[in-house]
Each structure stands twice: as structure tokens, then as C-alpha cells.
Coordinates of all heavy atoms in Angstrom, one line a residue:
M1 N 16.2 161.0 151.6 CA 16.9 162.0 150.9 C 16.6 163.4 151.3 O 17.4 164.2 151.1 CB 16.5 161.9 149.4 CG 17.2 160.6 148.7 SD 19.0 160.8 148.4 CE 18.9 161.9 147.0
R2 N 15.3 163.6 151.8 CA 15.0 165.0 152.1 C 15.6 165.5 153.4 O 15.7 166.7 153.5 CB 13.4 165.0 152.3 CG 12.6 164.8 151.1 CD 11.1 164.9 151.4 NE 10.4 164.8 150.1 CZ 9.2 164.8 150.0 NH1 8.4 165.1 151.1 NH2 8.6 164.6 148.9
S3 N 16.1 164.5 154.2 CA 16.8 165.0 155.5 C 18.2 165.2 155.2 O 18.9 165.7 156.1 CB 16.5 164.0 156.6 OG 17.1 162.8 156.3
L4 N 18.7 165.0 154.0 CA 20.2 165.2 153.8 C 20.4 166.5 153.3 O 19.7 167.1 152.6 CB 20.7 164.1 152.7 CG 20.6 162.7 153.2 CD1 21.0 161.8 152.0 CD2 21.5 162.3 154.4
S5 N 21.7 166.9 153.5 CA 22.2 168.3 153.1 C 22.4 168.3 151.7 O 22.8 167.2 151.2 CB 23.3 168.8 153.9 OG 23.9 169.8 153.4
S6 N 22.2 169.4 151.0 CA 22.4 169.6 149.6 C 24.0 169.4 149.3 O 24.4 169.0 148.1 CB 21.9 170.9 149.0 OG 22.6 171.9 149.6
A7 N 24.7 169.6 150.3 CA 26.2 169.4 150.2 C 26.5 167.9 149.8 O 27.4 167.7 149.1 CB 27.0 169.8 151.5
L8 N 25.6 167.1 150.2 CA 25.9 165.6 150.0 C 24.9 165.2 148.7 O 25.4 164.4 148.0 CB 25.4 164.8 151.2 CG 25.7 163.3 151.1 CD1 27.2 163.0 150.9 CD2 25.2 162.6 152.4
T9 N 23.7 165.6 148.6 CA 22.9 165.2 147.6 C 23.2 165.6 146.2 O 22.7 165.2 145.2 CB 21.4 165.5 147.9 OG1 21.3 166.9 148.0 CG2 21.0 164.9 149.2
R10 N 23.9 166.7 146.1 CA 24.3 167.2 144.7 C 25.2 166.3 144.0 O 25.2 166.4 142.8 CB 25.0 168.6 144.9 CG 26.4 168.5 145.5 CD 27.0 169.9 145.6 NE 28.2 169.8 146.3 CZ 28.9 170.8 146.7 NH1 28.4 172.0 146.3 NH2 30.0 170.7 147.4
T11 N 25.8 165.2 144.6 CA 26.4 164.2 143.8 C 25.6 163.0 143.4 O 26.1 162.1 142.7 CB 27.7 163.7 144.7 OG1 27.1 163.1 145.9 CG2 28.6 164.7 145.1
A12 N 24.4 163.1 143.6 CA 23.4 162.0 143.4 C 23.3 161.7 141.9 O 23.2 160.6 141.5 CB 22.0 162.3 144.0
S13 N 23.5 162.7 141.0 CA 23.3 162.5 139.7 C 24.6 162.5 138.8 O 24.7 162.5 137.7 CB 22.3 163.6 139.0 OG 23.0 164.9 139.2
Y14 N 25.7 162.3 139.7 CA 27.0 162.2 139.1 C 27.1 160.9 138.2 O 26.9 159.8 138.8 CB 28.0 162.1 140.2 CG 29.5 162.3 139.7 CD1 29.8 163.8 139.3 CD2 30.4 161.3 139.6 CE1 31.2 163.9 138.8 CE2 31.7 161.5 139.2 CZ 32.1 162.8 138.8 OH 33.3 163.0 138.3
Q15 N 27.4 161.0 137.0 CA 27.4 159.9 136.1 C 28.7 159.0 136.0 O 28.7 158.0 135.4 CB 27.1 160.4 134.5 CG 25.7 161.1 134.5 CD 24.6 160.0 134.9 OE1 24.6 158.9 134.4 NE2 23.6 160.5 135.5
M16 N 29.8 159.6 136.4 CA 31.0 158.9 136.3 C 31.2 158.0 137.5 O 30.3 158.0 138.5 CB 32.2 159.8 136.2 CG 32.1 160.8 135.0 SD 33.4 161.7 134.8 CE 34.2 160.8 133.6
T17 N 32.2 157.1 137.6 CA 32.3 156.1 138.6 C 32.9 156.7 139.9 O 32.5 156.1 141.0 CB 33.2 154.9 138.2 OG1 34.5 155.4 137.8 CG2 32.5 154.2 136.9
I18 N 33.6 157.6 139.9 CA 34.3 158.2 141.1 C 33.9 159.6 141.2 O 34.1 160.4 140.3 CB 35.8 158.0 141.0 CG1 36.1 156.5 141.0 CG2 36.5 158.6 142.3 CD1 37.6 156.2 140.8
C19 N 33.5 160.1 142.3 CA 33.3 161.5 142.6 C 33.9 161.8 144.0 O 34.0 160.9 144.9 CB 31.8 161.8 142.6 SG 30.7 161.0 143.8
A20 N 34.2 163.1 144.2 CA 34.7 163.6 145.4 C 33.7 164.1 146.3 O 32.8 165.0 145.8 CB 35.8 164.5 145.1
I21 N 33.5 163.7 147.5 CA 32.7 164.3 148.5 C 33.5 165.3 149.2 O 34.3 165.1 150.0 CB 32.1 163.3 149.5 CG1 31.5 162.0 148.7 CG2 31.2 163.8 150.5 CD1 30.2 162.4 148.0
K22 N 33.0 166.6 149.1 CA 33.6 167.7 149.7 C 33.4 167.7 151.3 O 34.2 168.2 152.1 CB 33.2 169.1 149.2 CG 33.7 169.3 147.8 CD 33.2 170.6 147.3 CE 33.8 170.8 145.8 NZ 33.4 172.1 145.3
H23 N 32.3 167.2 151.7 CA 31.9 167.3 153.2 C 31.8 165.7 153.7 O 30.8 165.3 154.2 CB 30.5 167.9 153.4 CG 30.6 169.4 152.8 ND1 31.1 170.3 153.7 CD2 30.1 169.9 151.7 CE1 30.9 171.5 153.0 NE2 30.4 171.3 151.8
A24 N 33.1 165.1 153.6 CA 33.1 163.7 154.1 C 32.8 163.6 155.6 O 32.2 162.7 155.9 CB 34.5 163.2 153.8
D25 N 33.1 164.6 156.4 CA 32.8 164.5 157.9 C 31.2 164.5 158.0 O 30.7 163.7 158.8 CB 33.4 165.7 158.6 CG 33.0 167.1 158.0 OD1 32.6 167.1 156.8 OD2 32.9 168.1 158.7
Y26 N 30.4 165.3 157.2 CA 29.1 165.2 157.3 C 28.5 163.9 156.8 O 27.7 163.3 157.6 CB 28.4 166.3 156.4 CG 26.9 166.2 156.2 CD1 26.1 166.5 157.3 CD2 26.4 165.6 155.0 CE1 24.7 166.3 157.2 CE2 25.0 165.6 154.9 CZ 24.2 165.9 155.9 OH 22.9 165.9 155.9
L27 N 29.1 163.3 155.8 CA 28.7 162.0 155.3 C 29.0 160.9 156.4 O 28.0 160.1 156.7 CB 29.4 161.6 154.0 CG 29.1 160.2 153.5 CD1 27.7 160.0 153.1 CD2 30.1 160.0 152.2
L28 N 30.1 160.9 157.0 CA 30.4 159.9 158.0 C 29.6 160.1 159.2 O 29.1 159.0 159.8 CB 31.9 160.1 158.4 CG 32.9 159.6 157.3 CD1 34.3 159.9 157.7 CD2 32.7 158.1 157.0
R29 N 29.3 161.3 159.7 CA 28.3 161.5 160.8 C 27.0 160.9 160.5 O 26.2 160.2 161.3 CB 28.2 163.0 161.1 CG 29.2 163.5 162.0 CD 28.8 164.8 162.7 NE 28.3 165.8 161.8 CZ 29.0 166.6 161.1 NH1 30.3 166.7 161.2 NH2 28.5 167.6 160.3
R30 N 26.4 161.1 159.2 CA 25.2 160.6 158.8 C 25.1 159.1 158.9 O 24.2 158.4 159.3 CB 24.7 161.1 157.5 CG 24.4 162.5 157.4 CD 23.2 162.9 158.4 NE 22.0 162.2 158.1 CZ 20.9 162.7 157.9 NH1 20.7 164.0 158.0 NH2 19.8 161.9 157.6
I31 N 26.1 158.5 158.3 CA 26.3 156.9 158.3 C 26.3 156.4 159.6 O 25.7 155.4 159.9 CB 27.6 156.5 157.4 CG1 27.4 156.9 156.0 CG2 27.8 155.1 157.6 CD1 28.6 156.7 155.1
R32 N 27.0 157.0 160.5 CA 27.3 156.6 161.9 C 26.1 157.0 162.8 O 26.0 156.6 164.0 CB 28.6 157.1 162.5 CG 29.8 156.6 161.8 CD 31.0 157.3 162.3 NE 32.2 156.8 161.6 CZ 33.2 157.6 161.5 NH1 33.3 158.7 162.1 NH2 34.3 157.1 160.8
D33 N 25.2 157.8 162.2 CA 24.0 158.3 163.1 C 24.4 159.1 164.3 O 23.9 159.0 165.3 CB 23.1 157.1 163.5 CG 21.7 157.7 163.8 OD1 21.2 158.7 163.4 OD2 21.0 157.0 164.7
E34 N 25.5 160.0 164.0 CA 25.9 160.8 165.1 C 25.4 162.3 164.8 O 25.0 162.7 163.7 CB 27.5 161.0 164.9 CG 28.2 159.7 165.2 CD 29.7 159.7 164.9 OE1 30.1 160.8 164.3 OE2 30.4 158.8 165.2
R35 N 25.2 163.0 165.9 CA 24.5 164.2 165.8 C 25.7 165.3 165.5 O 26.9 165.1 165.7 CB 24.1 164.8 167.3 CG 22.9 163.9 167.6 CD 22.3 164.4 169.0 NE 21.8 165.7 168.8 CZ 21.4 166.6 169.8 NH1 21.5 166.1 171.0 NH2 20.9 167.7 169.4
D36 N 25.3 166.3 164.7 CA 26.1 167.4 164.4 C 26.6 168.2 165.6 O 25.7 168.6 166.4 CB 25.3 168.3 163.4 CG 26.2 169.6 162.8 OD1 27.3 169.4 163.1 OD2 25.6 170.5 162.3
P37 N 27.8 168.4 165.8 CA 28.3 169.1 167.0 C 27.6 170.5 167.1 O 27.4 170.9 168.4 CB 29.8 169.2 166.8 CG 30.2 168.3 165.7 CD 28.9 168.0 164.9
L38 N 27.4 171.2 166.1 CA 26.8 172.6 166.2 C 25.3 172.4 166.7 O 24.9 173.2 167.5 CB 26.9 173.3 164.8 CG 28.3 173.8 164.5 CD1 28.3 174.5 163.1 CD2 28.8 174.8 165.6
H39 N 24.7 171.5 166.2 CA 23.3 171.3 166.6 C 23.3 170.9 168.0 O 22.4 171.3 168.8 CB 22.7 170.1 165.7 CG 21.1 170.0 166.0 ND1 20.8 169.1 166.9 CD2 20.1 170.6 165.5 CE1 19.3 169.1 166.9 NE2 19.0 170.0 166.1
A40 N 24.2 170.1 168.5 CA 24.2 169.6 169.9 C 24.4 170.8 170.8 O 23.8 171.0 171.8 CB 25.2 168.5 170.1
Q41 N 25.4 171.7 170.3 CA 25.7 172.9 171.1 C 24.5 173.9 171.2 O 24.2 174.4 172.3 CB 27.0 173.5 170.5 CG 27.4 174.8 171.3 CD 28.7 175.4 170.6 OE1 29.0 175.1 169.5 NE2 29.2 176.4 171.3
A42 N 23.8 174.1 170.0 CA 22.7 175.0 169.9 C 21.6 174.5 170.9 O 20.9 175.2 171.6 CB 22.2 175.1 168.5
T43 N 21.3 173.1 170.9 CA 20.3 172.5 171.7 C 20.6 172.7 173.2 O 19.8 173.1 174.0 CB 20.2 171.1 171.4 OG1 19.8 170.9 170.1 CG2 19.1 170.3 172.3
S44 N 21.9 172.6 173.6 CA 22.2 172.7 175.0 C 22.1 174.2 175.4 O 21.7 174.5 176.5 CB 23.7 172.2 175.3 OG 24.7 173.0 174.6
L45 N 22.5 175.1 174.5 CA 22.4 176.5 174.8 C 20.9 177.0 174.9 O 20.5 177.7 175.7 CB 23.0 177.5 173.7 CG 24.6 177.4 173.7 CD1 25.1 178.1 172.5 CD2 25.1 178.0 175.0
R46 N 20.1 176.3 174.2 CA 18.6 176.6 174.2 C 18.1 176.2 175.6 O 17.3 176.9 176.2 CB 17.9 176.0 173.1 CG 16.4 176.4 173.1 CD 15.7 175.6 172.0 NE 15.8 174.1 172.3 CZ 15.4 173.1 171.5 NH1 14.9 173.4 170.3 NH2 15.5 171.9 171.9
V47 N 18.5 175.0 176.0 CA 18.1 174.5 177.3 C 18.6 175.4 178.5 O 17.9 175.8 179.3 CB 18.5 173.0 177.5 CG1 18.3 172.5 178.9 CG2 17.8 172.1 176.5
A48 N 19.8 175.9 178.3 CA 20.5 176.8 179.4 C 19.6 178.0 179.3 O 19.4 178.6 180.4 CB 21.9 177.0 179.0
M49 N 19.3 178.5 178.2 CA 18.5 179.9 178.1 C 17.2 179.8 178.8 O 16.7 180.7 179.4 CB 18.5 180.4 176.7 CG 19.7 181.0 176.1 SD 20.2 182.4 176.8 CE 18.9 183.5 176.3
R50 N 16.5 178.6 178.6 CA 15.2 178.4 179.1 C 15.3 178.4 180.6 O 14.5 179.0 181.4 CB 14.6 177.1 178.6 CG 13.2 176.9 179.1 CD 12.6 175.4 178.8 NE 13.5 174.5 179.7 CZ 13.7 173.3 179.5 NH1 13.2 172.7 178.4 NH2 14.4 172.6 180.4
D51 N 16.3 177.6 181.2 CA 16.5 177.5 182.6 C 16.8 178.9 183.2 O 16.2 179.2 184.3 CB 17.7 176.6 182.9 CG 17.2 175.2 182.5 OD1 16.0 174.9 182.4 OD2 18.1 174.3 182.5
I52 N 17.6 179.7 182.5 CA 18.0 181.1 183.0 C 16.7 181.9 183.0 O 16.5 182.6 184.0 CB 19.1 181.7 182.1 CG1 20.4 181.0 182.5 CG2 19.2 183.1 182.5 CD1 21.5 181.3 181.5
G53 N 15.9 181.8 182.0 CA 14.6 182.6 181.9 C 13.7 182.2 183.0 O 13.1 183.1 183.6
L54 N 13.6 181.0 183.3 CA 12.8 180.5 184.4 C 13.3 181.1 185.7 O 12.5 181.5 186.6 CB 12.6 179.0 184.5 CG 11.9 178.2 183.4 CD1 12.0 176.8 183.5 CD2 10.4 178.7 183.6
R55 N 14.5 181.0 186.0 CA 15.1 181.6 187.2 C 14.8 183.1 187.3 O 14.5 183.6 188.4 CB 16.6 181.4 187.4 CG 16.8 179.9 187.6 CD 18.2 179.7 188.0 NE 19.0 179.6 186.7 CZ 20.4 179.8 186.6 NH1 21.0 180.0 187.7 NH2 21.0 179.8 185.5
M56 N 14.9 183.8 186.1 CA 14.7 185.3 186.2 C 13.2 185.5 186.5 O 12.8 186.5 187.2 CB 15.0 185.9 184.8 CG 16.5 185.9 184.5 SD 16.9 186.4 182.9 CE 16.4 188.1 183.0
I57 N 12.2 184.7 185.9 CA 10.8 184.9 186.2 C 10.5 184.6 187.6 O 9.8 185.4 188.3 CB 10.0 184.0 185.2 CG1 10.1 184.6 183.8 CG2 8.6 183.9 185.7 CD1 9.4 183.6 182.8
R58 N 11.1 183.7 188.2 CA 10.9 183.4 189.6 C 11.4 184.5 190.6 O 10.9 184.6 191.7 CB 11.6 182.0 189.9 CG 10.9 180.8 189.4 CD 11.5 179.5 189.8 NE 10.8 178.4 189.2 CZ 11.5 177.5 188.6 NH1 12.8 177.5 188.3 NH2 10.8 176.5 187.9
Q59 N 12.3 185.3 190.1 CA 12.8 186.3 191.0 C 11.9 187.5 190.9 O 12.0 188.5 191.8 CB 14.2 186.8 190.5 CG 15.3 185.9 190.9 CD 16.6 186.4 190.4 OE1 16.8 187.3 189.6 NE2 17.7 185.7 190.9
L60 N 11.0 187.6 190.0 CA 10.0 188.7 189.9 C 9.1 188.8 191.1 O 8.6 187.8 191.5 CB 9.3 188.7 188.6 CG 10.0 188.9 187.3 CD1 9.0 188.6 186.1 CD2 10.6 190.3 187.2
D61 N 8.7 190.1 191.5 CA 7.7 190.3 192.4 C 6.3 189.9 191.7 O 6.3 190.1 190.4 CB 7.7 191.7 192.9 CG 6.6 192.0 193.9 OD1 6.6 191.3 194.9 OD2 5.8 192.9 193.6
W62 N 5.3 189.6 192.4 CA 4.0 189.3 191.7 C 3.5 190.4 190.9 O 2.9 190.2 189.8 CB 3.0 188.7 192.7 CG 2.5 189.8 193.6 CD1 2.9 190.1 194.8 CD2 1.3 190.7 193.4 NE1 2.2 191.1 195.4 CE2 1.0 191.4 194.6 CE3 0.4 190.7 192.4 CZ2 0.2 192.3 194.7 CZ3 -0.6 191.6 192.5 CH2 -0.8 192.4 193.6
R63 N 3.7 191.6 191.3 CA 3.3 192.8 190.5 C 4.0 193.0 189.3 O 3.4 193.2 188.2 CB 3.4 194.1 191.4 CG 2.4 194.2 192.6 CD 2.7 195.5 193.4 NE 2.5 195.1 194.8 CZ 3.4 194.7 195.7 NH1 4.6 194.6 195.3 NH2 3.1 194.4 196.9
D64 N 5.4 192.8 189.3 CA 6.1 192.8 188.1 C 5.7 191.6 187.0 O 5.8 191.8 186.0 CB 7.6 192.7 188.3 CG 8.1 193.9 189.2 OD1 7.5 195.0 189.0 OD2 9.0 193.8 189.9
F65 N 5.5 190.5 187.8 CA 5.0 189.3 186.9 C 3.7 189.7 186.2 O 3.6 189.3 185.0 CB 4.8 188.1 187.8 CG 4.5 186.9 187.0 CD1 5.4 186.3 186.1 CD2 3.1 186.5 187.2 CE1 4.9 185.2 185.5 CE2 2.7 185.3 186.3 CZ 3.6 184.6 185.6
E66 N 2.8 190.3 186.9 CA 1.4 190.6 186.2 C 1.7 191.7 185.1 O 1.1 191.6 184.1 CB 0.5 191.2 187.3 CG 0.0 190.3 188.4 CD -1.1 189.5 187.9 OE1 -1.8 190.0 187.2 OE2 -1.3 188.4 188.4
T67 N 2.6 192.6 185.4 CA 2.9 193.5 184.5 C 3.6 193.0 183.1 O 3.1 193.3 182.0 CB 3.8 194.6 184.9 OG1 3.2 195.4 186.0 CG2 4.1 195.7 183.8
Q68 N 4.4 192.0 183.3 CA 5.0 191.3 182.3 C 3.9 190.5 181.4 O 4.0 190.5 180.2 CB 6.1 190.4 182.7 CG 6.8 189.6 181.6 CD 7.7 188.6 182.1 OE1 7.9 188.3 183.4 NE2 8.6 188.0 181.2
I69 N 3.1 189.8 182.1 CA 2.1 189.0 181.3 C 1.2 189.9 180.6 O 0.8 189.7 179.5 CB 1.2 188.2 182.4 CG1 2.1 187.1 183.1 CG2 0.1 187.5 181.8 CD1 2.8 186.2 182.2
D70 N 0.8 191.1 181.2 CA 0.0 192.1 180.5 C 0.6 192.6 179.2 O 0.1 192.7 178.1 CB -0.3 193.3 181.4 CG -1.3 194.3 180.9 OD1 -2.2 193.9 180.2 OD2 -1.0 195.4 180.9
L71 N 1.9 192.8 179.3 CA 2.7 193.3 178.1 C 2.8 192.2 177.1 O 2.6 192.5 175.9 CB 4.1 193.7 178.5 CG 4.2 195.0 179.3 CD1 5.7 195.2 179.9 CD2 3.8 196.2 178.4
I72 N 2.9 191.0 177.6 CA 3.0 189.8 176.6 C 1.7 189.8 175.8 O 1.6 189.7 174.6 CB 3.3 188.6 177.3 CG1 4.8 188.6 177.7 CG2 3.1 187.3 176.5 CD1 5.2 187.4 178.6
F73 N 0.5 189.7 176.5 CA -0.7 189.7 175.8 C -1.0 190.9 175.0 O -1.6 190.8 173.9 CB -1.9 189.5 176.9 CG -1.9 188.1 177.4 CD1 -2.0 187.8 178.7 CD2 -2.0 187.0 176.6 CE1 -2.0 186.6 179.3 CE2 -2.1 185.7 177.0 CZ -2.1 185.4 178.3
A74 N -0.7 192.1 175.4 CA -0.9 193.3 174.7 C -0.2 193.4 173.4 O -0.7 193.7 172.3 CB -0.6 194.5 175.5
R75 N 1.1 192.9 173.4 CA 1.9 193.0 172.1 C 1.8 191.6 171.3 O 2.1 191.7 170.2 CB 3.4 192.9 172.5 CG 3.7 194.4 173.2 CD 5.1 194.5 173.5 NE 5.4 195.8 174.2 CZ 6.5 196.2 174.7 NH1 7.5 195.3 174.8 NH2 6.6 197.3 175.2
G76 N 1.1 190.6 171.9 CA 0.9 189.3 171.2 C -0.4 189.4 170.3 O -0.6 188.5 169.5
G77 N -1.2 190.4 170.6 CA -2.5 190.4 169.8 C -3.6 189.9 170.5 O -4.4 189.4 170.6

């Protein structure tokens, strides 16, 4: 129950025999154990950003890399 959206769990205490599920697509995805398309897109974008960041770091001269690390440690506490 904790991993379900409140859009679905708010019908849990419904006392009548029939209730309408407003987010049927979400319910069907959960039953079928399918991933949320937005979550899948966000995950792929995060991986792409990480790869781009790595390529940008590899392009740095060693002096610029040292400066960047110094700034990270100085601002990170």
C-alpha cells in the first residue's frame, strides 16, 4: 500500500459496492507491473546527462580539472 499513489488508495475506504477509478491507466500499469512512462523517460535522461557530464570532464585540461575539484571541495564544506 505504501508504494501506491494516493490517486488510487483514496478509494480504499469506499463503502459502496461500485466506485470509479479516475486513474485507471495507473491502476492497470501497477497490475501489469509496467513502468511509468515518465519515470522511464526521466531515468534515460539522467543516464544521458551523466554520460554528457563525463565527456565534458574528459575534455578538461588537467589544470582545469584540478581547479574544478578545488571548487567542489571548497563549496561542499
